[in-house]
Amino acid sequence: MFWHVSRLVITTWRHRLAQLLRRLPGLWMLLPLLLLVLPLTGLLMYGFFRELGESLLTKGALEELLRPLLTLSLCNFFLIFSFIILTMIIMLSPDDTRLRRMMLPLPLSALQLRIGLLLPGLLTLLVVQGLLWGPALFALMTLGLITPFQLVLALVLALLCYNLLTLAFHQAMLYGALRLFGGEHQGVRFSVLGLSLALGLVLLEAPFFTLLPGLSTALPLWTLLLPARWMALVLEPDLGAILSGVALLLAATLLAGLLYALLLEGCERLASGTRGQWAPLRRLPFAPPLWWTACLYELKSLCRSPYLVIDGVMIFGMWLAALVGLLLTRMANPLFHLTLAQLVPPLFLPLLAGFGQSSWGRDRRAYRLLAATPLELRLLISAKFWTCLGLTLLLWSLATLVLLLVAGLPALLLFWLPPALMLTPLCFLMGILLPYSPDDPLSMLTLGLALFLVDLPLSILYVSIQRVLPALPGGSWVQMLIEVAIALVLVLALYRGSLWLGATRLEHERD
Amino acid sequence: MQASLLEVRQLSQRFGTFTAVDRVSFTVTAGQIVGLLGPNGAGKTTLLSMLVGLLPPTSGSILLNGEELQRVPSRKKAFFGFVPDSQDVVDHLTGLEYLQFLRHIYRLSEEQWNLVGDYLALLRLEEKAHHLLETYSHGQRKKLQVIAALLHQPRLLLLDEPLSGLDPEMTILVKRLLRRLRERGVGVLISTHDLLMAQDLCDEVILLHQGQVVAQGAQQALLEHYGVANLEEAFLQALGLAQQEKELDRVLARF
């Protein structure tokens, strides 16, 4: 019986993949490549680790020094790939809790349902991960660096542990989102998984940046906290290390399994009928004139969109990482520090400008309702446009200014002001042309790609203008004023364009 | 003769080769409840969309209080109140915030705004008022939309399935509310599938089928014309669905 449930899951994967291919036709060309990648990567891993093992790990004293670090890197690589693959599978899979709710009235036992839902993902995962990592560990075995027993033990325990840790991590993020936003936002799941993927990768990689510079002898004790270290211990020649590694992996597996089960239950409770209460600015009253009321309407809408909140958390995380990076590298690595400082303004700009992208689509369901009131929809579009622009500029300026002050380059903010003025209106207009749909997370992907295609020629144009302007008399301040003036003219043009396009779209959208 | 609040003349809506509404004409006067009935796909919602200005008609005219709707400035939309059937709401606002938003759109007086608490209490929404609209059930959204349509005290009400999702207590309340509004000279146009409700409330009925008016007039006159005792029978006869009983027997014969 559980096999029928598994078939349903596989059918859902097929539909999701088909949907993705419809959205991104170019992906058809990549599919055969992706299928070949697995065995090829496995082969490459075998070759690479065989070479590495032969040249570095069988030379006595050098082996003593390098083996722990290289083994740790291999295991971390293993962990990261497991994390990414499982996350992709979760993203493509149907929402577990909704599917379970749907199937509750059917003549299926809880165990049949659970096995049926997990089996396809689990099997795929084990095959993929085994194909990727088995050859690498096999290479180490052929060099006599590990025994066959260690290979099997490490592979099985690590796969189990790391997959459960990944599941527990994602489930914890989903639980947090459900507590905040309630269980009815289907698209939130996709966005939260994106955020937890990014966060997970940062957490897995970050310790290695602090580890590498000072490494000369044995690994420090705190590395025992890293999941990758537990697998690395199992691959050590010392029996004590192997047993420690096994114990740590088993303990983590049990804890992760328990946590995952508890969180899954918690998510099921929240998913059925609970309502999110995330409603900031509740006490901010609407007030005349009507245009200001419409601006406040847009501001509340921005703050309460779960997807924008999740994106905002991600952007904040990146900002924090940039701040820490700038503080740490100020003395330690001036070149990196300078490069990072210069990357900061253009990095945050498109991320924040994306808030304008979703503006039109966010209220698509409300336009019909509001069109039956005395509210002029042109007024609403106008308020949305200026609110998005104002908010984006404010957030970008504050975020960038703090980072540039730390870097000692505050004047760089002015250099990026003209593009900062233009990007949000452009995103706003694109958002009307290719509307975002809250029920279809892939709509943002299409929009993002379209924006990327438009951004490229515009960036080239901007750089070309930058080359011409210094030739004008008056120095850099005059140049700056001219750029800002051009930017303002373009903003007005984009504003008029948005009004016209929005009105045209509303006229043509049928009942 | 009562003032004509809404006058529809030869109204049509075509989408390519498909005619959704075909030369429909009727009037809603002050102190009258008119029922717009028809099966799914009859064109009721399309007709209502044209009446509230969401969809420009392909041909024909709509007069709102004597003025052509297409020439009426937006602010004159305060003349009517509209309760849609769809689940379209402003998800990210609380119920009270949505009403506050409308307060400024309709430029309500202090006196009109002070009634909001009473409306919320009457329709049992006081506890939900501070919750996000996306958390409302279908019935709760309907109730809020009714309040939103009444707050500015319109002369004309356009309602699309006003009782759908409402519990029995609220159904009775809304029906009583509509009767009281009729006594106060408000004109009401209700689009509905609910023939019992239409029979209970409506002075006049319009039967729509495949975009065309198949029957129209005072309720009693219609019943006499078809020689039937209730609207359900009149509906079946008007739409030529007299065979329905036999079809049902045939399908269930092997159940």
Side-chain angles (χ1 to χ4, degrees):
Chain A
M1 270 300 237
F2 64 81
W3 177 239
H4 295 293
V5 178
S6 296
R7 278 174 62 185
L8 182 72
V9 171
I10 293 166
T11 307
T12 316
W13 288 357
R14 271 207 331 263
H15 288 316
R16 291 264 172 108
L17 188 62
Q19 195 183 27
L20 195 63
L21 289 170
R22 270 196 301 272
R23 290 259 175 201
L24 304 166
L27 219 55
W28 277 110
M29 292 185 290
L30 289 175
L31 259 181
L33 283 171
L34 283 169
L35 288 171
L36 282 173
V37 152
L38 274 174
L40 281 175
T41 308
L43 213 60
L44 273 168
M45 297 295 273
Y46 174 81
F48 177 72
F49 281 97
R50 177 115 192 145
E51 278 291 319
L52 194 71
E54 270 176 354
S55 51
L56 292 174
L57 298 183
T58 51
K59 298 235 178 354
L62 196 59
E63 182 193 344
E64 288 292 318
L65 194 65
L66 289 174
R67 183 176 171 145
L69 179 63
L70 285 172
T71 319
L72 183 63
S73 303
L74 164 67
C75 296
N76 197 52
F77 205 34
F78 179 92
L79 172 55
I80 286 171
F81 263 82
S82 302
F83 180 76
I84 294 172
I85 293 164
L86 182 50
T87 307
M88 292 296 128
I89 289 175
I90 296 171
M91 277 181 171
L92 283 174
S93 299
D95 184 357
D96 221 16
T97 46
R98 282 179 186 271
L99 206 60
R100 194 169 298 119
R101 257 197 297 166
M102 199 180 83
M103 292 191 180
L104 280 174
L106 302 175
L108 284 168
S109 70
L111 187 65
Q112 284 171 328
L113 194 55
R114 177 72 63 185
I115 294 173
L117 288 171
L118 284 177
L119 199 61
L122 210 61
L123 285 175
T124 311
L125 200 59
L126 292 173
V127 164
V128 168
Q129 289 171 338
L131 274 175
L132 276 177
W133 295 108
L137 293 173
F138 187 74
L140 296 180
M141 192 189 80
T142 56
L143 288 168
L145 293 167
I146 60 173
T147 64
F149 179 66
Q150 277 178 292
L151 184 152
V152 171
L153 201 61
L155 203 58
V156 169
L157 285 179
L159 279 176
L160 203 57
C161 179
Y162 293 164
N163 288 330
L164 274 172
L165 280 173
T166 304
L167 284 171
F169 181 75
H170 287 315
Q171 206 64 40
M173 298 288 285
L174 276 168
Y175 182 77
L178 282 173
R179 285 296 300 253
L180 208 53
F181 303 119
E184 298 307 311
H185 287 284
Q186 294 191 40
V188 165
R189 186 172 171 270
F190 199 82
S191 297
V192 168
L193 284 170
L195 174 63
S196 77
L197 175 66
L199 187 62
L201 288 173
V202 167
L203 289 172
L204 289 171
E205 286 287 5
F208 285 82
F209 284 105
T210 52
L211 189 63
L212 288 169
L215 195 61
S216 57
T217 54
L219 293 171
L221 204 61
W222 64 262
T223 57
L224 284 172
L225 294 171
L226 303 177
R229 183 78 198 275
W230 310 334
M231 183 184 176
L233 282 169
V234 177
L235 299 174
E236 295 277 327
D238 177 43
L239 183 63
I242 295 170
L243 289 174
S244 309
V246 169
L248 284 167
L249 282 168
L250 281 174
T253 304
L254 280 168
L255 278 170
L258 190 64
L259 190 63
Y260 176 59
L262 286 170
L263 288 167
L264 199 61
E265 201 188 331
C267 286
E268 276 184 37
R269 267 187 282 111
L270 288 174
S272 49
T274 57
R275 316 293 185 171
Q277 289 306 313
W278 174 253
L281 304 179
R282 217 187 291 236
R283 293 192 195 284
L284 183 63
F286 291 110
L290 194 52
W291 187 80
W292 179 240
T293 292
C295 287
L296 291 175
Y297 170 92
E298 176 66 6
L299 191 63
K300 293 187 190 214
S301 169
L302 277 164
C303 297
R304 295 172 189 184
S305 164
Y307 316 98
L308 292 187
V309 169
I310 291 163
D311 283 348
V313 169
M314 201 156 9
I315 294 168
F316 179 70
M318 288 171 69
W319 180 85
L320 215 56
L323 183 67
V324 167
L326 283 170
L327 287 168
L328 287 175
T329 56
R330 205 193 325 205
M331 292 301 169
N333 193 338
L335 187 62
F336 182 78
H337 178 84
L338 189 64
T339 312
L340 184 59
Q342 291 190 326
L343 280 175
V344 153
L347 176 66
F348 288 101
L349 193 49
L351 293 173
L352 288 167
F355 288 4
Q357 248 176 320
S358 63
S359 180
W360 173 265
R362 245 184 295 116
D363 277 320
R364 264 181 115 179
R365 283 173 45 168
Y367 291 133
R368 286 188 68 246
L369 195 65
L370 295 175
T373 68
L375 177 69
E376 291 260 9
L377 287 180
R378 286 173 71 88
L379 188 139
L380 181 63
I381 297 168
S382 168
K384 280 171 158 292
F385 180 94
W386 294 111
T387 306
C388 287
L389 178 59
L391 186 69
T392 309
L393 265 180
L394 180 69
L395 290 174
W396 174 80
S397 303
L398 282 171
T400 311
L401 191 61
V402 168
L403 294 176
L404 290 177
L405 281 170
V406 166
L409 297 167
L412 209 55
L413 185 78
L414 291 173
F415 176 79
W416 285 98
L417 190 59
L421 277 170
M422 290 187 290
L423 199 56
T424 300
L426 181 64
C427 290
F428 187 88
L429 187 73
M430 294 292 288
I432 302 176
L433 209 54
L434 299 167
Y436 154 77
S437 167
D439 299 321
D440 178 16
L442 289 175
S443 61
M444 278 302 270
L445 191 66
T446 316
L447 203 49
L449 279 170
L451 196 69
F452 177 74
L453 287 171
V454 169
D455 190 48
L456 205 58
L458 287 177
S459 303
I460 294 168
L461 185 64
Y462 180 64
V463 168
S464 307
I465 293 170
Q466 289 286 311
R467 287 201 187 114
V468 166
L469 286 175
L472 298 171
S476 57
W477 282 106
V478 171
Q479 179 184 339
M480 177 59 54
L481 281 171
I482 293 171
E483 285 185 38
V484 170
I486 295 172
L488 286 172
V489 166
L490 286 171
V491 165
L492 285 171
L494 288 166
Y495 168 63
R496 298 294 302 179
S498 300
L499 287 179
W500 174 81
L501 194 61
T504 311
R505 268 209 96 97
L506 284 171
E507 269 178 37
H508 284 98
E509 267 170 19
R510 290 286 162 70
D511 181 11
Chain B
M1 195 167 135
Q2 290 284 20
S4 161
L5 300 174
L6 174 69
E7 201 177 328
V8 173
R9 293 175 187 166
Q10 296 291 299
L11 200 65
S12 293
Q13 181 63 243
R14 280 182 281 282
F15 301 113
T17 52
F18 172 65
T19 304
V21 174
D22 192 10
R23 289 164 294 165
V24 168
S25 300
F26 62 90
T27 307
V28 178
T29 59
Q32 185 187 42
I33 299 180
V34 175
L36 186 63
L37 313 177
N40 292 332
K44 303 188 299 297
T45 302
T46 307
L47 180 58
L48 272 180
S49 295
M50 287 191 280
L51 298 182
V52 301
L54 292 177
L55 199 61
T58 311
S59 61
S61 64
I62 303 165
L63 296 172
L64 204 62
N65 201 27
E67 275 186 85
E68 273 268 2
L69 179 66
Q70 297 304 314
R71 296 198 189 97
V72 161
S74 292
R75 66 175 187 280
K76 292 240 171 157
K77 284 184 178 176
F79 182 74
F80 63 80
F82 175 52
V83 177
D85 181 36
S86 71
Q87 288 290 293
D88 294 341
V89 283
V90 182
D91 279 342
H92 48 267
L93 295 180
T94 63
L96 191 59
E97 278 179 330
Y98 177 57
L99 295 175
Q100 284 169 343
F101 181 60
L102 291 178
R103 175 190 183 180
H104 295 286
I105 291 176
Y106 285 107
R107 298 180 197 185
L108 299 185
S109 65
E110 203 60 44
E111 205 185 321
Q112 286 172 321
W113 177 245
N114 287 339
L115 288 173
V116 73
D118 296 334
Y119 276 122
L120 287 168
L122 185 69
L123 289 161
R124 310 279 186 266
L125 277 182
E126 324 105 291
E127 281 176 21
K128 283 295 280 189
H130 294 282
H131 291 236
L132 291 172
L133 280 171
E134 65 183 13
T135 71
Y136 282 36
S137 67
H138 178 67
Q140 286 166 341
R141 288 179 191 205
K142 189 62 75 172
K143 287 194 279 189
L144 190 80
Q145 283 164 342
V146 168
I147 298 174
L150 292 176
L151 261 186
H152 59 288
Q153 295 170 346
R155 303 310 305 154
L156 175 69
L157 273 178
L158 304 168
L159 314 171
D160 198 348
E161 298 293 353
L163 304 183
S164 77
L166 297 184
D167 59 42
E169 184 203 352
M170 287 297 118
T171 301
I172 295 166
L173 177 69
V174 170
K175 284 204 271 188
R176 284 181 177 176
L177 178 68
L178 293 176
R179 285 193 197 100
R180 296 281 178 88
L181 289 171
R182 176 178 51 190
E183 286 163 20
R184 280 163 170 72
V186 174
V188 181
L189 176 68
I190 305 176
S191 165
T192 184
H193 295 125
D194 189 342
L195 296 173
L196 283 175
M197 185 204 73
Q199 188 159 320
D200 199 15
L201 275 179
C202 301
D203 305 307
E204 279 207 14
V205 292
I206 304 162
L207 293 181
L208 210 58
H209 183 51
Q210 292 178 347
Q212 291 180 327
V213 175
V214 294
Q216 183 174 7
Q219 205 187 127
Q220 197 48 46
L222 266 179
L223 295 178
E224 282 169 10
H225 171 77
Y226 287 106
V228 293
N230 57 56
L231 263 185
E232 199 174 282
E233 295 298 323
F235 181 84
L236 288 172
Q237 287 221 24
L239 267 59
L241 299 173
Q243 296 298 309
Q244 196 186 70
E245 194 79 43
K246 286 182 186 153
E247 273 184 53
L248 194 60
D249 288 337
R250 185 181 60 78
V251 168
L252 290 178
R254 283 170 293 173
F255 188 77

